[in-house]
Amino acid sequence: MNPFRGQGLKSEHFNHEVNYIIDNFLVEQAITIYFAPPKQGKSVFSLGLTKYLYKNTDKIIQYFDFDNPLSALKERGASKIIEELLERLDYVHPETAAMTSHEVLKLLVEGAVGDAYRDYIFFFDSITDFVRDVQNEAMAKSFMNAMKRLRNAGATVILLHHTNKNEKNYQGAGVFKSAADNVYFMRQGSGTVEKALFLLDVEAGRFHVENSAFHLNKSTYELSIVAYDQAMIRPEEQSFIDSIKEVLKKNPDGIGQSQLLADIGKAKDDKLARINLSKYAGRFWEIKDGKGKLKLYFIL
């Protein structure tokens, strides 16, 4: 008798809804990878993301960090954050695990039965510490199959990875991208003294995901979501936008370009100012025809 007769998918198996833990960025019960060049703060961002997930979900978070030495974690102030989240965070490190990363992975896979991990979020920092040779297709596939086992048992899986030498793609075999559900390239934007800005650009998405941006408070590791388009605006451009909007608010009936530029201390032939007026038209202000050839600017 064929053992698979009657064992196929049935209607009840399709009751599963796609749930976003973070809208259009992090999907529950999915495998998410973000990769970045060196010194872009993957682990720092991940610690902030851990704190965010701790505060905004009821899930147990297990962070398997086989990349960062304890001295680096201490320097970043991670110990305070870990202590703060101890109730539902297990920050697993070689200093405490007393086993190799491969032994850790083996135990996790053995426990992936039914929906055993439905209440768990797993971080793996980083892929290169769990795969002996990321260029080896068979090893990479074996690792990603293990990640699928965890996902199929209900886990939300987050993987940190490195870029290759030219810093434009991730290290290793193609199966990392093809087997993951969502993949992002991570980089830092123009932050401030108090806050770092992280930009995550979609490289591959099995679900509907979008380019995303986050501010991270460097002292508290509080993570906040930022509109991606807003995050892409450079500080000097933001200052220009704020000045223009302030003038436009005072002129609800519209104002000509020359007077508008004069009111913010710019010459009417300032090339960069004129470029930015055009660049952000339709987003922060609109342009309408006035008398003759006059163009009037209005706040949106």
Side-chain angles (χ1 to χ4, degrees), residues 8 68 87 101 158 174 251 292:
N68 297 288
E87 185 178 347
S101 60
I158 299 171
N251 293 272

Side-chain angles (χ1 to χ4, degrees), residues 23-224:
D23 286 347
N24 302 318
F25 172 69
L26 185 62
V27 180
E28 185 179 35
Q29 199 176 342
I31 301 169
T32 297
I33 295 177
Y34 43 85
F35 64 96
K39 309 302 181 184
Q40 286 297 301
K42 293 184 295 295
S43 296
V44 170
F45 170 76
S46 298
L47 194 57
L49 181 57
T50 295
K51 186 172 182 178
Y52 180 94
L53 296 174
Y54 184 95
K55 288 189 168 185
N56 290 279
T57 75
D58 295 324
K59 292 184 179 292
I60 298 167
I61 302 169
Q62 293 192 325
Y63 195 115
F64 298 95
D65 185 351
F66 280 72
D67 188 21
N68 297 288
L70 288 179
S71 56
L73 294 176
K74 183 178 180 180
E75 185 179 359
R76 295 169 187 164
S79 58
K80 294 180 181 179
I81 306 303
I82 293 169
E83 187 70 28
E84 180 185 340
L85 310 181
L86 271 181
E87 185 178 347
R88 284 186 289 109
L89 169 65
D90 300 313
Y91 200 98
V92 182
H93 191 273
E95 292 287 336
T96 59
M99 60 181 69
T100 68
S101 60
H102 306 289
E103 290 169 334
V104 167
L105 190 57
K106 183 175 182 291
L107 284 177
L108 286 172
V109 171
E110 288 174 354
V113 179
D115 61 353
Y117 294 140
R118 184 165 297 279
D119 295 326
Y120 284 81
I121 297 173
F122 295 136
F123 283 82
F124 292 90
D125 187 356
S126 63
I127 286 178
T128 54
D129 295 286
F130 289 85
V131 182
R132 289 189 178 90
D133 180 2
V134 294
Q135 303 292 344
N136 185 296
E137 191 77 24
M139 289 183 181
K141 186 173 183 179
S142 176
F143 173 77
M144 292 307 293
N145 283 341
M147 296 300 101
K148 290 179 183 179
R149 288 279 301 277
L150 303 184
R151 178 196 64 191
N152 294 343
T156 300
V157 180
I158 299 171
L159 307 175
L160 284 65
H161 199 20
H162 303 287
T163 54
N164 55 18
K165 288 183 179 180
N166 66 19
E167 300 188 353
K168 293 182 179 179
N169 203 351
Y170 63 87
Q171 283 183 15
V175 70
F176 290 121
K177 180 183 284 189
S178 62
D181 295 305
N182 302 305
V183 181
Y184 298 91
F185 173 73
M186 195 192 87
R187 56 199 168 94
Q188 283 203 44
S190 300
T192 65
V193 174
E194 296 83 15
K195 292 183 178 181
L197 174 63
F198 291 96
L199 304 168
L200 289 100
D201 300 327
V202 177
E203 289 284 321
R206 189 165 285 154
F207 299 95
H208 175 78
V209 290
E210 299 175 358
N211 295 340
S212 300
F214 302 87
H215 271 141
L216 178 74
N217 186 298
K218 296 177 183 178
S219 59
T220 66
Y221 282 90
E222 294 289 342
L223 194 71
S224 55

